[in-house]
Amino acid sequence: MSVPTTDIPEEIASVNLVDPKSYLEHDMDAYWRRMRAEYPLYRHPALDGNPGFWVVSRHADVMALYRDNQRLTSEKGNVLVTLLAGGDSAAGQMLAVTDGQRHKDLRNVMLNSFSPRALAKVAERVRYNTRRLVSEMIRRGEGDFAAEVASVIPLTTVGDLLGVPASDHEFLLNLTKSSLSSDEADQAPEDALLARNEILLYFSDLVADRRENPQDDVITTLTQSEIRGVPLSDQDIVFNCYSLILGGDETSRHTMIDTVRTLSREPEQWQRLRDGSVALETAGEEVLRWASPVMNFGRRALVDIEVAGGTVRAGDIVTLWNISANRDDTVFDDPFTLDLGRHPNKHITFGYGPHFCIGAFLARMEIKEMLDALRTFSTGFELTGEPRRIHSNLMNGMSYLPVRFHPDEAGLATLDD
Ligand code: HEM
């Protein structure tokens, strides 16, 4: 059976999911609602020289495809830009675009640095940095939460973990900001490519340095790691550093920004957080569902696969839409309501299955500390202007969030204890 590709209504057909501008110009909640209901397997047309691809929007289908690394491959790319270009030059070396036994082995090596035990030291720093940055901003009263807090915490965290000197954090932040998304509507694709290449070059130097001067950081651990008796090559390490810095920065940053914007409009939920009637962990899961900072990931089919009553053919590109699955009302009661006490909460913000986000523990820690700092040091906050959305077909978020905070003096006083 195949899925009808003719007679697609204008509201669906007019949305070009490759074009970053679409996400700002269309009512995407309405779009996804209709896709889930009527076109759960939709054939996105070939446009502007790009090939066509499948769009999967229901929670159950997205989960099933994430889990299936036998019939789907990540080695032809896992994001639209590389899938549409025909492949990823880091395939077989960078964790997210590696399949099979090599993926398992590499993941085990990298998990050594991401287990809760290995992250205990990082946890203390995340808590310290978050409390300091959030309280300083609240004391200042007003500012851009995106630039002053949310941009700093994730990059500092991953940077510290990897062993990036603090003096280089800002340089890397500027590069990560233009690698996957852009502040500008018409950023040339070459700019993103240049930024990504600069990150790779930066890490080549750092890896060479750590081979000479080992330190207590992830890069050094990777330089000393082996898979089946063979040490990781410099290129293996560089690709994975690149993936960690990109994977760990923008995702958490957009979740934090979205959380402050959302809570500024949800006084009842904010109150529940303040008075402790919802657990921080539960609230953290709901803001992760709500923000859905990575809109989609993708795969290429290795064989024909039945999905949502249709057939994806071997060789086809399939995109999995977390942002849609996270609002699927067959899984979430009242999905368009923020409920910080939501339980269970089977969001797929971190993906699912063999490629489930390796940084999920770290990201959850960051979000939890941010929520805790906000509720301890502030009685409330409101926006003082319009947020600015980013342009991306991968990430969902904002690059500017002007906020006025009301301090909780008693909470702030506990800082000096
Ligand atoms: C994988 C989302 C934070 C590193 C993934 C995947 C998703 C995701 C959806 C699955 C990709 C796929 O199936 O192709 C997020 C979100 C985050 C976050 C929403 C924050 C809110 C982090 C952090 C790090 C990280 C903090 C590291 C410092 C990675 C890596 C993978 C991955 C290396 C590849 C895992 C594999 O292929 O086995 N992430 N991530 N992420 N993430 Fe995250």
Side-chain angles (χ1 to χ4, degrees):
M1 182 183 158
S2 67
V3 167
T5 51
T6 52
D7 302 330
I8 299 290
E10 182 55 22
E11 303 91 276
I12 302 289
S14 62
V15 178
N16 176 355
L17 291 173
V18 182
D19 183 355
K21 288 203 279 290
S22 298
Y23 301 87
L24 280 71
E25 289 168 358
H26 296 273
D27 175 353
M28 294 306 288
D29 282 344
Y31 172 86
W32 290 118
R33 207 188 304 238
R34 185 141 187 207
M35 294 288 268
R36 286 190 298 275
E38 295 174 42
Y39 307 98
L41 177 68
Y42 168 68
R43 182 74 190 164
H44 191 285
L47 296 171
D48 308 328
N50 288 311
F53 55 93
W54 295 105
V55 174
V56 179
S57 50
R58 286 184 184 159
H59 190 279
D61 298 326
V62 170
M63 280 219 347
L65 295 177
Y66 265 129
R67 195 167 34 213
D68 191 345
N69 66 343
Q70 300 298 311
R71 296 186 301 166
L72 292 149
T73 174
S74 296
E75 294 207 349
K76 299 280 180 204
N78 73 334
V79 292
L80 262 176
V81 62
T82 48
L83 284 161
L84 295 174
D88 192 313
S89 54
Q93 290 185 282
M94 185 166 84
L95 188 66
V97 287
T98 299
D99 293 337
Q101 191 58 45
R102 179 80 189 169
H103 174 258
K104 273 195 201 138
D105 291 341
L106 190 56
R107 197 170 158 104
N108 281 339
V109 163
M110 291 179 64
L111 276 173
N112 290 333
S113 306
F114 282 88
S115 66
R117 202 167 52 86
L119 290 174
K121 215 169 68 190
V122 182
E124 276 170 39
R125 301 205 49 165
V126 170
R127 182 164 173 80
Y128 174 81
N129 282 333
T130 309
R131 286 166 67 84
R132 183 177 58 80
L133 280 161
V134 171
S135 61
E136 282 172 5
M137 176 156 195
I138 291 170
R139 281 193 166 125
R140 283 193 299 277
E142 258 185 70
D144 173 10
F145 183 80
E148 293 167 42
V149 177
S151 286
V152 188
I153 297 169
L155 197 99
T156 308
T157 308
V158 193
D160 282 353
L161 194 71
L162 285 171
V164 172
S167 51
D168 293 343
H169 285 183
E170 193 159 337
F171 166 74
L172 274 180
L173 180 65
N174 287 331
L175 294 175
T176 61
K177 276 187 173 163
S178 45
S179 291
L180 301 176
S181 66
S182 164
D183 260 3
E184 313 301 328
D186 296 309
Q187 174 181 282
E190 304 80 63
D191 290 348
L193 198 67
L194 271 175
R196 293 200 287 267
N197 279 337
E198 282 228 39
I199 298 176
L200 291 172
L201 280 174
Y202 176 83
F203 280 113
S204 296
D205 289 346
L206 207 56
V207 170
D209 178 75
R210 289 306 187 272
R211 288 213 190 268
E212 295 283 306
N213 311 295
Q215 314 261 329
D216 180 15
D217 57 36
V218 170
I219 298 191
T220 304
T221 308
L222 292 175
T223 60
Q224 294 163 350
S225 300
E226 295 183 345
I227 291 180
R228 293 164 196 270
V230 181
L232 293 181
S233 70
D234 281 8
Q235 207 182 38
D236 289 335
I237 302 172
V238 168
F239 277 141
N240 284 295
C241 291
Y242 164 90
S243 144
L244 291 173
I245 207 94
L246 286 188
D249 170 33
E250 201 160 4
T251 48
S252 297
R253 168 154 40 100
H254 290 310
T255 309
M256 291 181 186
I257 300 169
D258 184 71
T259 299
V260 167
R261 184 186 67 151
T262 303
L263 289 176
S264 75
R265 301 190 301 208
E266 299 271 358
E268 277 176 29
Q269 297 299 319
W270 168 244
Q271 205 40 54
R272 291 175 84 191
L273 185 68
R274 281 271 293 163
D275 65 24
S277 60
V278 287
L280 281 176
E281 286 77 7
T282 319
E285 294 309 298
E286 179 67 344
V287 299
L288 281 159
R289 178 187 80 91
W290 196 257
S292 298
V294 190
M295 294 192 287
N296 63 83
F297 272 113
R299 305 283 190 259
R300 213 175 251 271
L302 291 169
V303 294
D304 291 359
I305 308 173
E306 298 298 303
V307 181
T311 307
V312 166
R313 298 278 172 213
D316 286 353
I317 297 170
V318 192
T319 55
L320 314 175
W321 292 81
N322 304 350
I323 194 156
S324 169
N326 278 346
R327 297 285 189 278
D328 187 330
D329 62 6
T330 64
V331 176
F332 303 100
D333 290 339
D334 219 355
F336 289 90
T337 297
L338 179 85
D339 171 6
L340 293 186
R342 187 181 290 278
H343 186 78
N345 191 340
K346 294 190 170 160
H347 68 75
I348 37 180
T349 299
F350 292 117
Y352 188 68
H355 288 277
F356 179 79
C357 178
I358 200 176
F361 180 82
L362 191 59
R364 284 179 161 132
M365 181 201 294
E366 289 172 336
I367 303 302
K368 203 179 102 191
E369 290 301 346
M370 190 206 55
L371 289 171
D372 195 29
L374 285 173
R375 73 169 183 179
T376 308
F377 303 136
S378 174
T379 56
F381 38 89
E382 68 258 344
L383 301 195
T384 53
E386 274 301 301
R388 191 164 59 235
R389 301 261 317 264
I390 54 161
H391 294 79
S392 173
N393 60 22
L394 172 65
M395 306 297 302
N396 172 39
M398 286 155 278
S399 59
Y400 172 66
L401 191 79
V403 187
R404 179 183 303 118
F405 283 100
H406 304 287
D408 179 330
E409 295 299 346
L412 285 166
T414 62
L415 254 186
D416 310 318
D417 292 349

mmCIF file of all heavy atoms in Angstrom, residues 8-16 31 42 44-45 47:
data_model
loop_
_atom_site.group_PDB
_atom_site.id
_atom_site.type_symbol
_atom_site.label_atom_id
_atom_site.label_comp_id
_atom_site.label_asym_id
_atom_site.label_seq_id
_atom_site.Cartn_x
_atom_site.Cartn_y
_atom_site.Cartn_z
ATOM 1 N N ILE A 8 -3.194 16.808 -1.648
ATOM 2 C CA ILE A 8 -2.748 17.278 -0.339
ATOM 3 C C ILE A 8 -3.244 18.719 -0.193
ATOM 4 O O ILE A 8 -3.016 19.543 -1.081
ATOM 5 C CB ILE A 8 -1.205 17.244 -0.240
ATOM 6 C CG1 ILE A 8 -0.671 15.814 -0.418
ATOM 7 C CG2 ILE A 8 -0.717 17.850 1.063
ATOM 8 C CD1 ILE A 8 -0.963 14.858 0.699
ATOM 9 N N PRO A 9 -3.929 19.016 0.921
ATOM 10 C CA PRO A 9 -4.462 20.374 1.051
ATOM 11 C C PRO A 9 -3.345 21.423 1.095
ATOM 12 O O PRO A 9 -2.225 21.134 1.540
ATOM 13 C CB PRO A 9 -5.221 20.347 2.377
ATOM 14 C CG PRO A 9 -4.775 19.125 3.073
ATOM 15 C CD PRO A 9 -4.235 18.169 2.069
ATOM 16 N N GLU A 10 -3.684 22.619 0.684
ATOM 17 C CA GLU A 10 -2.726 23.710 0.593
ATOM 18 C C GLU A 10 -2.008 23.968 1.933
ATOM 19 O O GLU A 10 -0.805 24.219 1.967
ATOM 20 C CB GLU A 10 -3.498 24.956 0.097
ATOM 21 C CG GLU A 10 -2.694 26.218 -0.115
ATOM 22 C CD GLU A 10 -1.489 26.039 -1.050
ATOM 23 O OE1 GLU A 10 -1.484 25.097 -1.864
ATOM 24 O OE2 GLU A 10 -0.545 26.857 -0.923
ATOM 25 N N GLU A 11 -2.756 23.874 3.062
ATOM 26 C CA GLU A 11 -2.139 24.158 4.384
ATOM 27 C C GLU A 11 -0.984 23.208 4.661
ATOM 28 O O GLU A 11 -0.069 23.522 5.411
ATOM 29 C CB GLU A 11 -3.142 23.998 5.547
ATOM 30 C CG GLU A 11 -4.368 24.830 5.481
ATOM 31 C CD GLU A 11 -5.473 24.063 4.746
ATOM 32 O OE1 GLU A 11 -5.471 24.104 3.495
ATOM 33 O OE2 GLU A 11 -6.314 23.447 5.406
ATOM 34 N N ILE A 12 -1.052 22.009 4.095
ATOM 35 C CA ILE A 12 0.035 21.047 4.297
ATOM 36 C C ILE A 12 1.099 21.238 3.210
ATOM 37 O O ILE A 12 2.292 21.377 3.496
ATOM 38 C CB ILE A 12 -0.502 19.585 4.241
ATOM 39 C CG1 ILE A 12 -1.594 19.361 5.291
ATOM 40 C CG2 ILE A 12 0.623 18.573 4.361
ATOM 41 C CD1 ILE A 12 -1.133 19.327 6.712
ATOM 42 N N ALA A 13 0.634 21.263 1.978
ATOM 43 C CA ALA A 13 1.574 21.298 0.848
ATOM 44 C C ALA A 13 2.432 22.563 0.847
ATOM 45 O O ALA A 13 3.571 22.542 0.378
ATOM 46 C CB ALA A 13 0.806 21.188 -0.461
ATOM 47 N N SER A 14 1.895 23.662 1.410
ATOM 48 C CA SER A 14 2.637 24.926 1.339
ATOM 49 C C SER A 14 3.769 24.998 2.372
ATOM 50 O O SER A 14 4.565 25.927 2.362
ATOM 51 C CB SER A 14 1.682 26.106 1.552
ATOM 52 O OG SER A 14 1.123 26.004 2.842
ATOM 53 N N VAL A 15 3.826 24.040 3.293
ATOM 54 C CA VAL A 15 4.886 24.090 4.315
ATOM 55 C C VAL A 15 6.121 23.330 3.809
ATOM 56 O O VAL A 15 6.094 22.107 3.668
ATOM 57 C CB VAL A 15 4.392 23.490 5.653
ATOM 58 C CG1 VAL A 15 5.510 23.505 6.684
ATOM 59 C CG2 VAL A 15 3.175 24.249 6.163
ATOM 60 N N ASN A 16 7.179 24.076 3.562
ATOM 61 C CA ASN A 16 8.433 23.470 3.128
ATOM 62 C C ASN A 16 9.301 23.232 4.370
ATOM 63 O O ASN A 16 9.869 24.164 4.926
ATOM 64 C CB ASN A 16 9.121 24.427 2.144
ATOM 65 C CG ASN A 16 10.487 23.924 1.709
ATOM 66 O OD1 ASN A 16 10.965 22.911 2.205
ATOM 67 N ND2 ASN A 16 11.103 24.646 0.788
ATOM 68 N N TYR A 31 -0.369 22.511 12.035
ATOM 69 C CA TYR A 31 0.168 21.663 10.965
ATOM 70 C C TYR A 31 0.399 20.232 11.483
ATOM 71 O O TYR A 31 -0.063 19.251 10.902
ATOM 72 C CB TYR A 31 1.472 22.291 10.459
ATOM 73 C CG TYR A 31 2.266 21.456 9.476
ATOM 74 C CD1 TYR A 31 1.990 21.492 8.119
ATOM 75 C CD2 TYR A 31 3.314 20.650 9.923
ATOM 76 C CE1 TYR A 31 2.739 20.736 7.214
ATOM 77 C CE2 TYR A 31 4.066 19.898 9.028
ATOM 78 C CZ TYR A 31 3.785 19.940 7.679
ATOM 79 O OH TYR A 31 4.526 19.195 6.797
ATOM 80 N N TYR A 42 3.853 11.048 5.574
ATOM 81 C CA TYR A 42 3.642 12.046 4.516
ATOM 82 C C TYR A 42 4.886 12.122 3.640
ATOM 83 O O TYR A 42 6.013 12.126 4.146
ATOM 84 C CB TYR A 42 3.376 13.399 5.186
ATOM 85 C CG TYR A 42 3.420 14.598 4.263
ATOM 86 C CD1 TYR A 42 2.446 14.785 3.284
ATOM 87 C CD2 TYR A 42 4.427 15.551 4.394
ATOM 88 C CE1 TYR A 42 2.481 15.905 2.439
ATOM 89 C CE2 TYR A 42 4.468 16.674 3.564
ATOM 90 C CZ TYR A 42 3.494 16.837 2.589
ATOM 91 O OH TYR A 42 3.532 17.932 1.765
ATOM 92 N N HIS A 44 7.095 14.295 1.747
ATOM 93 C CA HIS A 44 7.446 15.695 1.508
ATOM 94 C C HIS A 44 8.014 15.805 0.106
ATOM 95 O O HIS A 44 8.893 15.020 -0.274
ATOM 96 C CB HIS A 44 8.491 16.138 2.540
ATOM 97 C CG HIS A 44 8.741 17.606 2.579
ATOM 98 N ND1 HIS A 44 9.475 18.255 1.617
ATOM 99 C CD2 HIS A 44 8.343 18.558 3.448
ATOM 100 C CE1 HIS A 44 9.528 19.549 1.919
ATOM 101 N NE2 HIS A 44 8.838 19.759 3.018
ATOM 102 N N PRO A 45 7.538 16.766 -0.670
ATOM 103 C CA PRO A 45 7.993 16.811 -2.058
ATOM 104 C C PRO A 45 9.466 17.220 -2.188
ATOM 105 O O PRO A 45 10.036 17.831 -1.288
ATOM 106 C CB PRO A 45 7.091 17.887 -2.688
ATOM 107 C CG PRO A 45 6.590 18.699 -1.557
ATOM 108 C CD PRO A 45 6.564 17.820 -0.339
ATOM 109 N N LEU A 47 12.003 19.656 -3.377
ATOM 110 C CA LEU A 47 11.909 21.098 -3.667
ATOM 111 C C LEU A 47 13.305 21.685 -3.721
ATOM 112 O O LEU A 47 14.215 21.217 -3.020
ATOM 113 C CB LEU A 47 11.140 21.824 -2.540
ATOM 114 C CG LEU A 47 9.667 21.475 -2.323
ATOM 115 C CD1 LEU A 47 9.167 22.140 -1.041
ATOM 116 C CD2 LEU A 47 8.812 21.912 -3.505
#
